[in-house]
Amino acid sequence: MLARRRRLPLRLVRCVALLAALGLVLLMGPGAAAHALVASSDPADGATLASSPSQIVIMFTEQPDLKRSLIQVLDTSGHKLAGGAPEPVAGQPSTVVRIPVTATLPKGVYTVSWKSISAVDGHLATGAFAFGVGQAPQPGSAKTTVKTPGPSEVAVVARWFYLYGLIGLLGLSFTELVVLRGRSSPARLHWAMAASWVVAAGGLAGLTQAQASGAGLGVGDLLSSSIGRALLLRGVPLLLAGVVAALVLAGVRRLREAGVGPLAVVTLAAMLGEVLKSHAAASTSWTWLRVGEQWVHFVAAGVWIGGLAGLLLSLGPLGPGSRGPAARRFSFWAGIAIVAVGITGTLRAFDEVGTWHGLFHTGFGQLIVVKIALFGLLGLLGALNRFRNVRAVEASPRGLRRTGGAELVAMAAVLAATALLQNLAPARTAAAAGATTLSPVVIDANDFATTYRLHLTVTHDTAGFNTFALTVSDYESRKPAKIDGTKITFHYTDSPAVGDSSLQLARQPDGSYKAQGANMAVVGHWLLTVNVSNGVHSVDVPIDIVTQTQPEPTTSQAFQGSPTVFTVSLPGSRSVQIYIEPVRLGKAEFHATFFDAKGQELKMATFAAMAFRMPGGSAALLPFRQLSQGHFVADAPATLGTYSFSVAGTTADGDALGATISLPVA
């Protein structure tokens, strides 16, 4: 009776872990898939152009398969006016593609419809955005859409089998090479190697079929696609592993001993092939470092869990006197593997999630939390084995078998979560894909002598890479001015530590000037000096601008007789509370108060606020007064309507903070 009570918790652990694995596969399968989503475009979503564009340029979050992806320009009747398979842009990263627009688009609103198949992992995504020529897209008339078909149960289960098969191949090879170390390995170990290969091969076949079906590819088109290339990258080393495993299973003893080493090597190559078609390979910087982290993570899991399976299979044939040394050797290497899994997993989670909000408020981040919880369970079971069951294995292997079996079942749940993660866009990718939700900032200005009128459009006015488009016209006639050239100098007003920079704008066929650059690299208030070069008529025009920030979690509180207060989350668990006093006597007031993580008012060293009426209004800096160390009030626009407000400033410690929010002035 007592023995049954002791076995009950471990049986319960196995059941819970198995149910978790099945639940992850069957219930969470329909989540949003990855991965080549639109990060930015030219024309931008919602942009209004003065004349017909000569091309459509899109930057994706991952490299698209050019042969299988599609970009089209449609009019309001759905007629195709331009488009086809995209082509690379010279001098740009492989994520940037274009299609030419040879026809002259008349005044109107147009939709860019796109379909991408990721060259990294073969996933399909579709979407659309709108722009206007001589006419602004009306709100709601051309809504931006993105659709990423959810991973099918077949794809998730197939990847689950594939990962478990590779882990089994590596771990069983590790058992024979390191754990048993020269002792005659039991036949069941070699049969398990063959079974692991069958599981991995079946999983790879199912995964490829599911991806090809989702992308609409036939057998004849498979090998010429990114999905087919991924099959070769994964399948060739796996095929070699199958040949070696067959020789090990059928060969004489010497052939078996000589074949296990090559089997481990080709399995490591197959694992690398899988990693090269994962999120890590889609990184835009330090790619090989991230690939290395993911590969070490995968290999360490194979040594730990696959090696545990090999040890459990070998306990009976080893017998007393041999079980103890083998178990202790495995325990030593498993301890190293657990540490490696924890460190590399943390690095990969930080890279793919990036923020606490992304961890707890996105499907990808929530699966990371599930993996962390399951990893904790595995760690506890591993500790129980290391400090209790390994010591008692000579007397009886029963405890090690029971706890080890629970570890293997828990690992099944971890791999189910991993299979789902490979079919979801990382939180950072999703955030990058959402960057196009910000409206371009338009600023109208003129020089002191009223020689020129300037119309500057900044897309998307965020900290980092932006597009600057400028038109210069005569102040009196409002006709395009003939000038020699123009450039913009950037000065960050919030800190002298950020040096000034400049950006030369290139003349466009329509007479405007355009350039792209990451000159506004920090959140905050920037002073742009636009130099219009035209001999003795050259002028410098100062323009103030506050960077926009991507939407952050926002809550609102309505109070009877008082304005609604909006609280926007900021990095470091800080926040800013924003509200607008109603218009009275032709005047409205905009309030912003910064708070620290404890809810105390945050001492701010600098502050700036900018607003523009939506859609397409000219942006302007708002004059403000400081009421307390973190509370500022600015003169809001008095004209009724919906406005985009951007606030930014630096704390007393030098941290740059900012928020963008759309609010009505009523």
Side-chain angles (χ1 to χ4, degrees):
M1 185 69 178
L2 181 60
R4 289 188 63 186
R5 288 181 179 177
R6 288 178 178 174
R7 287 196 295 268
L8 181 59
L10 288 175
R11 288 178 178 175
L12 183 61
V13 167
R14 293 174 187 171
C15 291
V16 170
L18 183 58
L19 289 174
L22 294 174
L24 284 168
V25 172
L26 299 177
L27 298 180
M28 299 185 68
H35 300 294
L37 309 178
V38 173
S40 62
S41 64
D42 184 16
D45 178 27
T48 302
L49 308 182
S51 59
S52 175
S54 60
Q55 62 180 359
I56 304 295
V57 180
I58 296 180
M59 174 182 285
F60 287 98
T61 56
E62 289 185 5
Q63 179 184 350
D65 184 338
L66 297 182
K67 292 183 179 180
R68 307 299 169 191
S69 300
L70 179 68
I71 301 175
Q72 299 182 102
V73 179
L74 310 174
D75 62 15
T76 53
S77 300
H79 297 141
K80 176 183 172 182
L81 303 178
E87 57 190 42
V89 178
Q92 295 293 324
S94 58
T95 55
V96 181
V97 298
R98 66 177 289 274
I99 59 165
V101 180
T102 56
T104 301
L105 303 182
K107 180 180 178 180
V109 175
Y110 300 91
T111 297
V112 177
S113 174
W114 57 269
K115 179 188 80 171
S116 70
I117 294 178
S118 172
V120 177
D121 50 32
H123 290 122
L124 169 70
T126 61
F129 60 89
F131 69 92
V133 176
Q135 178 180 337
Q138 296 299 315
S141 64
K143 185 178 180 181
T144 301
T145 60
V146 177
K147 181 182 180 182
T148 54
S152 67
E153 285 79 3
V154 173
V156 176
V157 172
R159 189 183 292 274
W160 185 39
F161 277 103
Y162 176 56
L163 296 178
Y164 225 141
L166 290 180
I167 283 177
L169 278 173
L170 180 64
L172 295 170
S173 302
F174 174 82
T175 300
E176 183 159 345
L177 292 171
V178 178
V179 177
L180 300 182
R181 203 164 62 181
R183 288 180 173 81
S184 179
S185 56
R188 65 177 68 175
L189 205 62
H190 300 142
W191 282 106
M193 291 177 185
S196 295
W197 184 87
V198 171
V199 168
L204 179 58
L207 177 63
T208 303
Q209 188 278 331
Q211 289 184 340
S213 176
L217 295 177
V219 176
D221 299 326
L222 180 61
L223 291 181
S224 63
S225 69
S226 58
I227 297 174
R229 291 190 291 272
L231 173 62
L232 293 177
L233 191 61
R234 294 168 171 140
V236 169
L238 186 60
L239 180 61
L240 292 176
V243 173
V244 177
L247 293 175
V248 169
L249 183 63
V252 296
R253 179 176 177 180
R254 289 185 178 180
L255 184 59
R256 288 177 178 176
E257 293 174 351
V260 175
L263 178 60
V265 171
V266 292
T267 302
L268 290 172
M271 287 180 160
L272 180 60
E274 165 62 16
V275 172
L276 289 174
K277 289 300 175 181
S278 69
H279 296 143
S283 303
T284 56
S285 62
W286 298 93
T287 303
W288 281 104
L289 175 62
R290 290 171 170 82
V291 167
E293 291 170 358
Q294 186 68 37
W295 185 63
V296 171
H297 186 75
F298 199 179
V299 170
V303 169
W304 173 17
I305 299 301
L308 175 61
L311 176 65
L312 296 180
L313 287 172
S314 304
L315 286 178
L318 283 176
S322 299
R323 287 196 295 250
R328 286 190 291 272
R329 276 193 295 271
F330 168 76
S331 181
F332 171 78
W333 288 105
I336 296 175
I338 290 172
V339 173
V341 168
I343 293 175
T344 54
T346 301
L347 292 173
R348 293 299 304 133
F350 177 79
D351 181 59
E352 294 184 339
V353 177
T355 65
W356 289 109
H357 174 259
L359 184 64
F360 293 106
H361 294 86
T362 66
F364 189 92
Q366 289 163 2
L367 274 175
I368 292 288
V369 173
V370 171
K371 280 194 68 175
I372 292 172
L374 291 171
F375 177 75
L377 174 62
L378 281 167
L380 290 175
L381 293 173
L384 179 61
N385 270 337
R386 182 181 181 89
F387 297 109
R388 179 180 175 181
N389 295 326
V390 168
R391 295 174 180 176
V393 72
E394 282 288 5
S396 173
R398 184 178 301 172
L400 183 57
R401 283 173 175 159
R402 288 203 307 266
T403 309
E407 278 192 76
L408 295 179
V409 175
M411 189 61 184
V414 173
L415 289 179
T418 303
L420 279 168
L421 285 172
Q422 289 297 324
N423 288 280
L424 294 176
R428 283 187 186 270
T429 302
T436 56
T437 59
L438 291 176
S439 299
V441 171
V442 177
I443 300 176
D444 293 308
N446 57 267
D447 61 297
F448 181 78
T450 62
T451 307
Y452 304 108
R453 295 180 186 269
L454 274 59
H455 183 80
L456 176 66
T457 302
V458 184
T459 310
H460 293 277
D461 182 33
T462 56
F465 195 82
N466 291 285
T467 300
F468 301 86
L470 178 70
T471 58
V472 182
S473 58
D474 181 83
Y475 188 87
E476 295 294 339
S477 67
R478 298 179 181 267
K479 294 181 179 179
K482 295 182 179 180
I483 61 174
D484 297 330
T486 182
K487 73 173 182 178
I488 303 176
T489 301
F490 299 81
H491 173 72
Y492 186 59
T493 66
D494 291 338
S495 172
V498 180
D500 293 354
S501 64
S502 61
L503 182 67
Q504 189 73 39
L505 277 65
R507 183 179 175 86
Q508 305 298 303
D510 62 357
S512 65
Y513 293 82
K514 182 182 290 188
Q516 295 177 323
N519 303 74
M520 297 196 307
V522 184
V523 170
H525 175 200
W526 289 82
L527 174 62
L528 278 56
T529 302
V530 181
N531 172 257
V532 179
S533 178
N534 192 21
V536 296
H537 299 292
S538 299
V539 298
D540 289 332
V541 181
I543 294 177
D544 291 283
I545 190 169
V546 176
T547 55
Q548 298 188 103
T549 58
Q550 297 297 334
E552 293 291 344
T554 303
T555 60
S556 62
Q557 289 180 295
F559 302 94
Q560 187 174 4
S562 300
T564 299
V565 177
F566 297 85
T567 302
V568 183
S569 298
L570 299 177
S573 300
R574 292 169 289 197
S575 62
V576 57
Q577 287 188 352
I578 294 172
Y579 65 92
I580 298 179
E581 294 280 1
V583 177
R584 293 190 180 94
L585 301 177
K587 182 179 180 181
E589 289 187 338
F590 172 86
H591 290 255
T593 309
F594 293 83
F595 294 91
D596 62 18
K598 297 180 180 179
Q600 303 297 316
E601 192 167 311
L602 188 61
K603 185 176 181 180
M604 301 295 292
T606 64
F607 176 80
M610 179 186 73
F612 62 91
R613 190 174 184 180
M614 301 176 67
S618 181
L621 208 64
L622 303 180
F624 69 91
R625 304 175 300 282
Q626 186 169 2
L627 301 184
S628 59
Q629 63 178 5
H631 185 182
F632 302 85
V633 58
D635 296 329
T639 304
L640 304 186
T642 300
Y643 288 78
S644 175
F645 293 89
S646 292
V647 297
T650 54
T651 66
D653 297 329
D655 291 342
L657 302 175
T660 297
I661 188 171
S662 298
L663 297 174
V665 175

